[in-house]
Amino acid sequence: MKYQYYPGCSLEGTALEYNVSTRALMESMGVELLEIKDWTCCGASAADSASYFLSLALPARNLAIAEKTEDVTDILVPCSACYLNLKKVEEKTKNNPELLGELNSILGPDQLELKGRMHVRHLLDVITTDLGPDTIHKYLKRELTGLKIAPYYGCQCLRPYPVFDDPELPRSMEPLITAVGAQIHPWNMGGKCCGASHVNTKPDVGLELVGGILQDAKGADAIITICPMCQMNLEAYQKKISRKQNINLSMTILYLPQLIGFALGLSQQQLRLDLNLSITDSFRKKLT
Amino acid sequence: MGNTAGLQKEIGAISTFADLAPIRKMIRSCIQCGTCTASCPNEFAMDFTPRRLWRMVLMDQTEDIFESKTFVLCSSCYFCTLRCPRGLPLTEAMSALKQIATRKKLPKFKESVNFYSCFIESVRRHGRVNEAEFMTRYFARLKNPLIPLRFAPLGVRLMMKGKISMLPPIKQARPLESIFRSVEALEERK
Ligand code: SF4
Ligand code: SF4
């Protein structure tokens, strides 16, 4: 199995452990990733707030480069914000030759042309749809019995394009969690919004949303995320919100491939658990 | 809604009808059912509900729209877009309002506008985002010494983990320059 790979900017910086653990997990399941050559920023959540055409042209450039590798048409994207930006171009150009022409007039001077052949796939989509619990079982090295996991999906892998899960009540991570022997923490916050970049521009509002998610996770051993922005929001402000609300909200926050990777026998070092900002002592004890 | 003279002057720069026209077209068939408001996680912090905002757009109440902070409080969760019974592209319409505020550099939204523009400028310079450089410029532009303090503890934690570096980014060709220029030219023609 082979995919083209778009890591995106966060995965080279603040979300390095998501990059490392995704690559390690895929390798251990026999999946090959081909990083898109000279990829550039997809525009994150900022381009969309600055210019409509820029928000499509930035991801389009990466898709056009990926198209040059003809035999692999699926692009695997771990970051939900990058995923949606790239997916938008795939979806919007599908039946819109005018838009495709406009984007190509922007890419033309760089000798790039978008034909619309690429399929943009979220990491969770690939793990759920192409690999599934059976593949995980096949490679399982240690059962994570006794761990209760709250799956957090966030927004942009679910909406507005419902590709692999229910956009209101997502459940695709549940079979993966049970496949590694862990239990599911029942909650209602899986598909709710963490406020995205509000923590930077509207901190009071952002922290309120994050606080609600952390509260509902009480009783779980960890929240599992599939997006660097969700991960950072949930792990970086726990002390601040706890102080504000006068309640202890400390909670382990892991990326999905870190959890599955650990069950598949990868070491904490291979999954870079040292880079996470919030892993509680009691959780660490459970891992050993 | 009281409008200050300054704001009116600012918004005067927006040719109301022309700028709002595409947004009005997007939401033309709104039936004011309120599903968007009921779905919005940020509604608690908004001065006008999303339903009210769409009504204001339909009525062309530009000054009130840009006096309100409703659209910058949209975090693009796409719940309203998913649930609107008329299938309207509401998140995109929110973004279109943010784009006007960014393009016109409206001071009322300076935190958001500076955040978006510093980010985009960093992308234009390097092709990828350099998080440390982008945040430094964002703080510099806000000219508020208290805001960096809000981020200092996190910045230190990230640096200790080696996740952000304070070294200036390596100078390299600007791989996106031609794309940025073409986009600017295309938008001017539109
Ligand atoms: S949900 Fe759609 S139709 Fe209903 S008020 Fe909102 S925009 Fe209008
Ligand atoms: S997309 Fe924006 S306006 Fe719509 S529900 Fe989400 S936060 Fe509210």
Side-chain angles (χ1 to χ4, degrees), chain A residues 196-256:
Chain A
S197 58
H198 277 0
V199 289
N200 297 308
T201 55
K202 308 259 173 275
D204 292 342
V205 182
L207 296 182
E208 178 82 25
L209 298 183
V210 173
I213 296 167
L214 291 174
Q215 287 247 13
D216 216 41
K218 275 204 159 298
D221 292 298
I223 300 178
I224 296 301
T225 74
I226 47 168
C227 170
M229 192 150 54
C230 302
Q231 173 82 17
M232 176 77 85
N233 283 345
L234 292 177
E235 69 184 350
Y237 305 95
Q238 295 182 1
K239 285 214 179 82
K240 202 173 201 169
I241 306 171
S242 299
R243 255 195 323 263
K244 226 165 116 179
Q245 304 190 352
N246 205 9
I247 163 177
N248 180 9
L249 291 175
S250 63
M251 171 64 60
T252 297
I253 318 285
L254 297 175
Y255 286 107
L256 177 71

Side-chain angles (χ1 to χ4, degrees), chain A residues 8 52 81 93 116 152 155 178 204 212 221 223 249 261:
Chain A
Y52 175 72
T93 52
Y152 183 70
C155 302
T178 44
D204 292 342
D221 292 298
I223 300 178
L249 291 175

Side-chain angles (χ1 to χ4, degrees), chain A residues 63-261:
Chain A
L63 293 183
I65 296 176
E67 279 188 3
K68 292 184 174 176
T69 307
E70 284 185 359
D71 54 331
V72 188
T73 52
D74 283 15
I75 305 182
L76 184 151
V77 190
C79 165
S80 297
C82 300
Y83 162 76
L84 179 56
N85 283 341
L86 295 162
K87 191 84 191 163
K88 253 187 206 163
V89 176
E90 177 191 338
E91 294 287 334
K92 280 182 185 288
T93 52
K94 245 181 207 164
N95 300 306
N96 191 341
E98 193 194 332
L99 179 64
L100 192 61
E102 278 168 331
L103 291 176
N104 277 324
S105 76
I106 295 170
L107 299 174
D110 288 332
Q111 274 76 53
L112 289 170
E113 193 196 348
L114 186 67
K115 297 191 191 76
R117 296 189 314 118
M118 299 309 296
H119 296 291
V120 180
R121 313 275 312 273
H122 193 280
L123 171 67
L124 177 57
D125 181 14
V126 168
I127 296 181
T128 303
T129 317
D130 301 5
L131 297 161
D134 291 346
T135 312
I136 292 176
H137 268 138
K138 201 171 116 194
Y139 293 101
L140 198 67
K141 294 275 162 28
R142 44 189 164 213
E143 298 236 359
L144 306 180
T145 32
L147 282 186
K148 218 176 195 187
I149 303 295
Y152 183 70
Y153 303 80
C155 302
Q156 304 193 325
C157 71
L158 302 171
R159 301 179 292 272
Y161 305 113
V163 177
F164 58 92
D165 207 337
D166 183 329
E168 294 268 1
L169 292 168
R171 310 214 39 188
S172 56
M173 276 197 254
E174 295 181 15
L176 310 176
I177 293 169
T178 44
V180 299
Q183 268 178 292
I184 292 144
H185 171 74
W187 70 336
N188 295 317
M189 301 305 272
K192 296 283 155 59
C193 182
C194 70
S197 58
H198 277 0
V199 289
N200 297 308
T201 55
K202 308 259 173 275
D204 292 342
V205 182
L207 296 182
E208 178 82 25
L209 298 183
V210 173
I213 296 167
L214 291 174
Q215 287 247 13
D216 216 41
K218 275 204 159 298
D221 292 298
I223 300 178
I224 296 301
T225 74
I226 47 168
C227 170
M229 192 150 54
C230 302
Q231 173 82 17
M232 176 77 85
N233 283 345
L234 292 177
E235 69 184 350
Y237 305 95
Q238 295 182 1
K239 285 214 179 82
K240 202 173 201 169
I241 306 171
S242 299
R243 255 195 323 263
K244 226 165 116 179
Q245 304 190 352
N246 205 9
I247 163 177
N248 180 9
L249 291 175
S250 63
M251 171 64 60
T252 297
I253 318 285
L254 297 175
Y255 286 107
L256 177 71
Q258 291 183 308
L259 181 85
I260 301 179

